[in-house]
Amino acid sequence: MPELAAPTNVRFDHHRPDTKGIGTATPRISWQIPAAPDDYRQTAYEIEINGSAHRVETPESPEQILVPWPGAPLTARESVSVRVRVRDRTHWSEWSEPATVEAGLLSPGDWTARFVSPRTALDEPAPILTGTIDLPADAVKGRLYITAHGIYVAHLNGHRVGDEHLAPGWTAYDHRLRYQTHDVTGLVRPGGNRLEILLGNGWYRGRLGFQNRRAVYGDRLAALAQLEVTTADGTVRVLATDGRWTARESAIVADDLYDGQRTDLRRKGDEKRAVDVLDADLGVLVAPDGPPVRTTEIRPATAIFTSPSGQTLVDFGQNLVGWVRLTVRGGRAGDTVVVRHAEVLEDGELGVRPLRTARATDEYVLAGPDEVTLEPELTFHGFRYAEVTGAAEIEAVEAVVIGSDLERTGWFESSHELLDKFHENVVWGMRGNFVDVPTDCPQRDERLGWTGDIQVFSPTASFLFDCAGFLTSWLADLAAEQQKDGSVPYVIPDVIRRPGPATAAWGDAATIVPWVLYQRFGDREILRRQLPSMRAWVDRMAALAGDDLLWAGGFQFGDWLDPTAPPDDPARARADPDVIATAHLARSAEVVALAAAALGDAETERTYAGLAARVRDAFAREYATEGGRILDDAATSYALALQWALLPGVEQRARAGRRLADLVRTAGYRISTGFVGTPLMTDALTDAGAPEVAYRLLLQTGCPSWLYPVTMGATTVWERWDSMLPDGSINPGQMTSFNHYALGAVADWMHRRVAGLAPAAPGYRRISVRPVPTGDLTHAAARHRTPYGEAAVRWERTDGSLRLQVTVPVGVTATVQLPGGPVIDVRHGTHEFTASDAYGKASVLPAEPTIRQLMDHRPSWDPAVAAAREAAVVADEAALARRLSPYLDAPASDLVDAATGGEFHPGADTMRNLLRKEK
């Protein structure tokens, strides 16, 4: 039996250990217990805070996640060391290793610096602001607090400060502007010190959004910086941005996030210019809630080749986000090296049409033949391929991958190669689109924080990466930019700025995302902070619905990018927008009630639970029959109704589930849903008793399907099911991206139901292990670093047995159930279970099967499809399935008649003969 280990991974709020510049005076504390006796239960903990004072708190509590700060609030700049130990009924653990937390500047009064901007309108080139300070030789601590209007790169005495990119990041600048805290103790020196700040347009002044707007937040770049150096005797010397700073031009003559960066290495930019002190509100300054954008990987080129037109192309083997780093030599002064980017090739050349108006081009004017490394500082691109032109010789080329530096927390693997590649694509799609805000795409003239995309993807995101701080910050922007009537902008930060933007599924990010963060990370305070925003959105929906509580009419995105929608009209889906809108009103009202219950707000809980019940009744009366049919007979609408309990009758729900499964069958087990319905489909089918239909849908490779892009060489998730057509051409629509994460939301079902690892209480305090095995897989596994430690599940079918292994971290309990078996409760440790493998046996058709049963039986269905194609009755599986739609309950012996319209099709005899030969 293991001994009780000392706590590890002591951390503060949603930051990593040893955080500098935290934005709260009372950070919550969390820790993990790596090992403990089998009967261990935490009954108390002690927190030792050893900074300006020594404090110890000993509450009787089993909690270890986000526990309240036990001492006096921190003051601005205060740094303290924290240790934790825990106790069971009788024994204390050893103390944890100390973790340090340091407060940032907590109020506007802590700043002596002021925003400064170049006096002249330096649209081009990018300016560099400079300040100097003399320092003694006994400096013991240096901190730089810094932010900008625009994006900045700081250098102190010629050394780059920090490793962040695109700082200070993108927030709702009018309401919240992040500043960063850097430890520069190792960069200061005795005597003169020079601080230089390069400014770029970024989101603040550059081109932003598909409406081709510029300078959305302002037309002047500016910096705010405060360098504080403490000497041995405690004296603090300060260099703060003020009117004495100067400005000069850099070698970067143009920069834009969409269009790229142009750098002229011949430029010196020695002329000094004056700066203006701006009257900017320091009250909007906030410390970061999550990690910054950093370099997360360097990828070498996998191939360098010549295109049909004679251009040099570089393939990095992965659709990624960042830029190309080139080392060149041999060029003449004035020669230009040009790097263009694209996600895909078309006819062997860069496929740039999906970029729309984004140039995505970096240019470098060389100063001479010496070897030089070229890379941009003030832009980024989404690409797999790059085209490099110019007279210089390429010595080296690699891709610098960037993204918000989120800790990876979730993994999945199975026996299905294409499924594992799809999951890897989901991960890369998130990496590329979590660049300070959760964007829709990283490459074209858009890259916006669409609310609908993150609403559906947040459960998957919260499993794959620790995005709690990242999304906490984004939700603060959502609440800040929510309109007075409760409407939620389509994108956050809001650069579309349309009055009264209220659309279902997109606005519901206000309710769903906070609830997901609470469920996955156990952060009750995020509910408390967001509850007014959550209520305001539901109140707005209810007002639009009116007295009958049916939200009908008006603009809706609907089931966006349903595969039946034409390329130029992605909102024209099969599902009725009114059905979708009313369903979301019911769901969000229920979520607000649940959030209020978690906060102990009984009155709010009653109000919104009652509203949810009334909306469900209205939905059932207006849109559903007693027999379980939904008005529009669309798969998305059935999935919504089933997953959100919108149908009151047991038999009604059962029949709706059967109808949903039939819709999947008659679509040839291909996707027939868009952004709204897709994340719910596999859960709805599984809960309706049709898990094998869910697996047929998941593992389909024909278009449209999740795995079709994988068969086409995709390395990220696409925006459209057919962003690339089977012939290798790009979808003709004007909105086509090869790196969108929304349709990858099904990965959450893969984690919870395929592998079987699901949260059963907020923060994974309890875990539900209920895998849904299938004969299509011989094994599946998932592991997740919960706030308590790593949990893992793996099942395997071998030698007639189904074996399950479950690992539960200390502080967590799990409920385990194999299909058809008993429910077993287990505590921390690794546990193994074995049952008979019911999935290894070949399925057998009944003696007199129906066409439905034949379709579900792959050994019979696949030959039927092959015969129908060879006889030229239909072109593919989906077409045959549609033909059979009215005949599902007919005998399978009527298959040919049903497929050929009573043998009116000339291929009937051929198809029948082919099937006879197959038998």
Side-chain angles (χ1 to χ4, degrees), residues 558-779:
D559 195 20
W560 188 255
L561 286 172
D562 168 331
T564 64
D568 60 347
D569 191 359
R572 204 167 85 199
R574 180 172 178 178
D576 188 319
D578 296 349
V579 173
I580 291 174
T582 302
H584 278 81
L585 171 55
R587 173 58 176 161
S588 278
E590 178 188 39
V591 167
V592 171
L594 293 170
L599 295 171
D601 184 347
E603 182 178 352
T604 299
E605 179 190 5
R606 284 193 298 271
T607 298
Y608 288 90
L611 174 61
R614 294 194 302 276
V615 176
R616 285 194 292 266
D617 289 344
F619 181 98
R621 285 195 307 270
E622 185 74 10
Y623 299 129
T625 70
E626 292 185 2
R629 285 293 184 105
I630 306 295
L631 174 70
D632 54 18
D633 202 34
T636 286
S637 298
Y638 286 104
L640 293 171
L642 289 166
Q643 289 307 104
W644 295 347
L646 301 178
L647 303 176
V650 174
E651 180 58 25
Q652 187 184 35
R653 290 193 296 273
R655 296 184 68 174
R658 290 194 291 272
R659 178 57 183 164
L660 175 62
D662 281 347
L663 288 175
V664 173
R665 291 183 180 100
T666 56
Y669 301 93
R670 284 165 168 78
I671 289 288
S672 60
T673 52
F675 275 30
V676 171
T678 296
L680 301 173
M681 282 293 293
T682 46
D683 268 309
L685 289 165
T686 303
D687 292 341
E692 292 304 320
V693 176
Y695 272 109
R696 288 281 290 277
L697 186 65
L698 177 69
L699 301 178
Q700 172 65 250
T701 57
C703 185
S705 68
W706 283 291
L707 299 188
Y708 163 73
V710 179
T711 69
M712 295 293 291
T715 60
T716 43
V717 176
W718 295 349
E719 178 179 24
R720 294 178 180 268
W721 298 108
D722 58 350
S723 286
M724 179 172 283
L725 305 182
D727 64 3
S729 62
I730 297 171
N731 187 291
Q734 291 302 304
M735 188 188 72
T736 301
S737 160
F738 293 89
N739 194 353
H740 258 60
Y741 57 67
L743 296 177
V746 71
D748 183 55
W749 182 78
M750 293 162 59
H751 306 147
R752 291 182 294 101
R753 309 300 289 272
V754 176
L757 177 56
Y764 288 84
R765 188 64 183 267
R766 291 197 309 277
I767 294 173
S768 174
V769 180
R770 288 183 171 85
V772 181
T774 172
D776 294 307
L777 304 178
T778 58
H779 72 265

